[in-house]
């Protein structure tokens, strides 16, 4: 049985000046409340870069779908291209995380930014110059789509690694605040990215969203790669992930076992399954009212409430342990997801989605927190990118399952999948409570 060690003492860390890594400034009171510690630790520019540099990731899948569908006139070709992006991202993210752990984030992110920009440009050229979308032409489209996903910079997971390094000598609540912000940033970009693609593609040209994604990648990702905070993750010694001050609940386990990492990874796969199946369910539900193209707007309601709920985690009591948070949030998700089958009107569905989002954000933040606690110090990037890949893989699973049920039984049949995914999350939360329970006095 793995037990949570007691908070580390200040003496367990290297003395000041023993490493080339700069020490973060001592947090001061701020009008931003607990979130005021973030710009004090990392600088306002890091928050801005970390937010917008991850936007291309949220644009690539929908951008490929829109571009290839428009150019070929085939929904199947567009769907295959979007699927290739997702598969590439799911496979490439852990590799990028591993390389960042081995070689440092700076060089890996710079190389990833260049390669991803080239891959996006290749997809644009292949798609816009193809006279037909069968045989070799379709193979080139799928290959460049896969490359685009495989090389996509993993800003969110690697930003979390930097926060873990920057909060190593501060209270655990600072890391919770940072992860709360990161969860909100993820939610906002996943809502904003597809909306931006739809707006630019419909008003100007289908190729413009991917061109913009390439421009954002080569500029903002490169700036993120060389931001001064990279010194914390690239040069600091691996001394654990949790804060050392009062309120530190967990630390990187000395008796690290891969099975502990599998729990949060499985949780993220369940989260992704919930996301993918909910998107498909909403498409079928909106289709019953003749507005299937508006399903993204329905999904955005859940995304927005989830984003703001993620921010609230920073203010939760440190006595409310992470495994307890996981179970409580997942229980709320399961109850609200079960209610997806009840509404018979769009306003009623919007109400259910808003309530559902309130539980989704805290669940994601909590699972990332547990992932940071059980990850070995020298494999933080690998574990964080594995968690992100779990979401991508789960989204594909959820979309496929819900799509099959929607074809056979309509929206009511598809609603079973998000409710089941939330139930699995609750079971995994209970398992984490057993595996990570603290030692008895």
């Amino acid at each position: 049985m793995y037990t949570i060690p007691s908070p580390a003492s200040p003496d367990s860390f290297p003395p000041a000046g023993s490493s080339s890594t700069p020490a973060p400034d001592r947090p001061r009171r701020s009008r931003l409340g607990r979130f005021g510690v973030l710009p004090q630790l990392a600088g306002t520019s890091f928050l801005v870069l970390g937010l917008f540099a991850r936007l291309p990731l949220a644009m690539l899948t929908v951008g490929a779908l829109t571009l290839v569908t428009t150019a070929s006139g085939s929904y199947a070709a567009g769907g295959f291209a979007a699927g290739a992006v997702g598969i590439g991202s799911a496979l490439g993210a852990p590799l990028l995380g591993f390389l960042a752990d081995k070689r440092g984030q700076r060089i890996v992110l710079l190389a990833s930014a260049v390669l991803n920009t080239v891959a996006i440009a290749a997809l644009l050229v292949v798609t816009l110059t193809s006279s037909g979308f069968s045989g070799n032409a379709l193979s080139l489209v799928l290959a460049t789509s896969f490359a685009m996903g495989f090389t996509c910079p993993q800003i969110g997971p690697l930003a979390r690694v930097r926060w873990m390094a920057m909060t190593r000598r501060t209270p655990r609540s600072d890391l919770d605040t940072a992860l709360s912000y990161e969860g909100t940033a993820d939610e906002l970009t996943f809502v904003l990215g597809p909306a931006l693609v739809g707006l630019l593609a419909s008003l100007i040209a289908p190729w413009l969203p991917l061109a913009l994604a390439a421009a954002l990648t080569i500029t903002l990702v490169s700036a993120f790669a060389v931001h001064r905070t990279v010194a914390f993750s690239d040069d600091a010694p691996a001394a654990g992930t949790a804060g050392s001050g009062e309120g530190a609940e967990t630390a990187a386990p000395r008796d690290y076992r891969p099975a502990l990492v599998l729990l949060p990874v499985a949780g993220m796969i369940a989260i992704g399954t919930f996301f993918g199946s909910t998107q498909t369910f909403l498409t079928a539900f909106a289709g019953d009212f003749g507005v299937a193209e508006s399903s993204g707007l329905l999904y955005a309601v859940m995304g927005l409430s989830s984003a703001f709920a993620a921010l609230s985690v920073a203010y939760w009591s440190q006595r409310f342990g992470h495994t307890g948070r996981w179970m409580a949030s997942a229980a709320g998700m399961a109850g609200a997801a079960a209610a997806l089958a009840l509404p018979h009107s769009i306003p009623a569905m919007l109400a259910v989605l808003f309530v559902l989002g309130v539980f989704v954000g805290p669940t994601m933040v909590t699972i990332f927190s547990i992932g940071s606690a059980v990850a070995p110090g020298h494999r933080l990037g690998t574990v964080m990118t594995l968690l992100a890949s779990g979401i991508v893989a789960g989204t594909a699973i959820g979309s496929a399952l819900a799509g099959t049920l929607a074809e056979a039984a309509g929206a009511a049949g598809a609603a079973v999948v998000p409710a089941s995914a939330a139930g699995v999350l609750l079971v995994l939360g209970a398992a984490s409570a057993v595996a990570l329970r603290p030692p008895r006095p």
Side-chain angles (χ1 to χ4, degrees):
M1 177 66 63
Y2 165 67
T3 56
I4 299 177
S6 59
S9 67
D11 294 335
S12 64
F13 296 100
S18 63
S19 167
S20 60
T21 305
D25 295 332
R26 185 177 182 83
R28 302 179 297 275
R29 290 186 177 275
S30 167
R31 289 178 296 178
L32 297 176
R34 291 190 179 182
F35 289 94
V37 72
L38 302 185
Q40 293 173 16
L41 287 171
T44 304
S45 60
F46 179 73
L47 301 179
V48 177
L49 282 174
L51 175 64
F52 290 102
R54 76 188 72 194
L55 187 58
L57 177 62
M59 299 173 65
L60 294 185
T61 301
V62 181
L65 173 65
T66 304
L67 174 67
V68 176
T69 299
T70 303
S72 66
S74 169
Y75 288 107
F80 287 143
V85 175
I87 294 172
S89 179
L91 296 177
L95 177 61
L96 290 176
F98 175 78
L99 292 175
D101 288 334
K102 295 286 288 185
R103 302 298 182 186
Q105 288 191 19
R106 184 185 289 108
I107 185 62
V108 171
L109 282 171
L110 288 173
S112 177
V114 173
L115 292 174
N116 191 242
T117 302
V118 171
I120 295 174
L123 177 63
L124 288 171
V125 171
V126 168
T127 303
L128 297 178
T129 58
S130 294
S131 57
F133 285 82
S134 61
N136 292 336
L138 181 59
S139 297
L140 282 175
V141 168
L142 297 182
T144 51
S145 297
F146 177 86
M148 192 170 69
F150 190 84
T151 58
C152 186
Q154 299 296 314
I155 299 300
L158 296 183
R160 288 177 170 90
V161 173
R162 294 192 193 184
W163 286 118
M164 292 172 207
M166 286 186 283
T167 58
R168 184 173 290 130
R169 303 183 190 183
T170 67
R172 177 75 196 198
S173 59
D174 290 349
L175 179 56
D176 284 343
T177 300
L179 296 181
S180 210
Y181 165 78
E182 289 295 323
T184 300
D186 283 342
E187 292 285 359
L188 289 177
T189 53
F190 283 129
V191 170
L192 179 60
L196 188 59
V197 169
L199 186 65
L200 294 176
S202 60
L203 294 182
I204 304 178
W207 56 265
L208 185 58
L210 288 181
L212 176 61
L216 292 175
T217 296
I218 197 64
T219 55
L220 297 184
V221 172
S222 298
F224 181 87
V226 299
H227 190 273
R228 65 177 180 84
T229 54
V230 77
F232 290 99
S233 60
D234 286 6
D235 300 334
T241 59
S244 62
E246 182 179 355
E249 181 195 51
T250 57
R254 296 173 184 172
D255 59 336
Y256 164 70
R257 288 176 292 165
L260 297 177
V261 175
L262 292 179
L263 277 172
V265 170
M268 284 306 185
I269 293 175
I271 284 276
T273 303
F274 170 83
F275 286 156
S277 59
T278 301
Q279 292 168 356
T280 304
F281 158 74
L282 289 176
T283 300
F285 177 84
D288 292 340
F289 296 88
V291 289
E293 67 279 1
S294 300
S295 61
L297 297 177
L298 298 178
Y299 188 78
V301 171
M302 186 184 76
L304 291 175
S305 63
S306 175
F308 287 107
L311 286 176
S312 73
V313 176
Y315 295 93
W316 291 12
S317 171
Q318 291 297 302
R319 296 181 179 180
F320 190 13
H322 290 104
T323 55
R325 297 179 186 185
W326 184 343
M327 289 190 293
S329 300
M333 274 185 68
L340 286 173
L342 301 179
H344 297 288
S345 66
I346 289 180
M349 179 59 70
L350 290 175
V352 172
L353 290 170
F354 181 86
V355 174
L356 182 56
V358 169
F359 301 103
V360 173
T363 305
M364 284 189 64
V365 172
T366 300
I367 295 176
F368 268 117
S369 295
I370 291 178
S372 75
V374 300
H378 64 293
R379 289 289 181 266
L380 290 177
T382 306
V383 173
M384 290 297 106
T385 48
L386 272 174
L387 296 178
S389 291
I391 297 178
V392 175
T395 299
I397 294 171
S399 297
L401 291 176
T404 302
L405 291 176
E407 190 74 21
V416 173
V417 184
S420 300
V424 171
L425 268 173
L426 180 57
V427 172
L428 290 172
S432 72
V434 173
L436 302 175
R437 66 185 179 187
R440 294 180 180 178

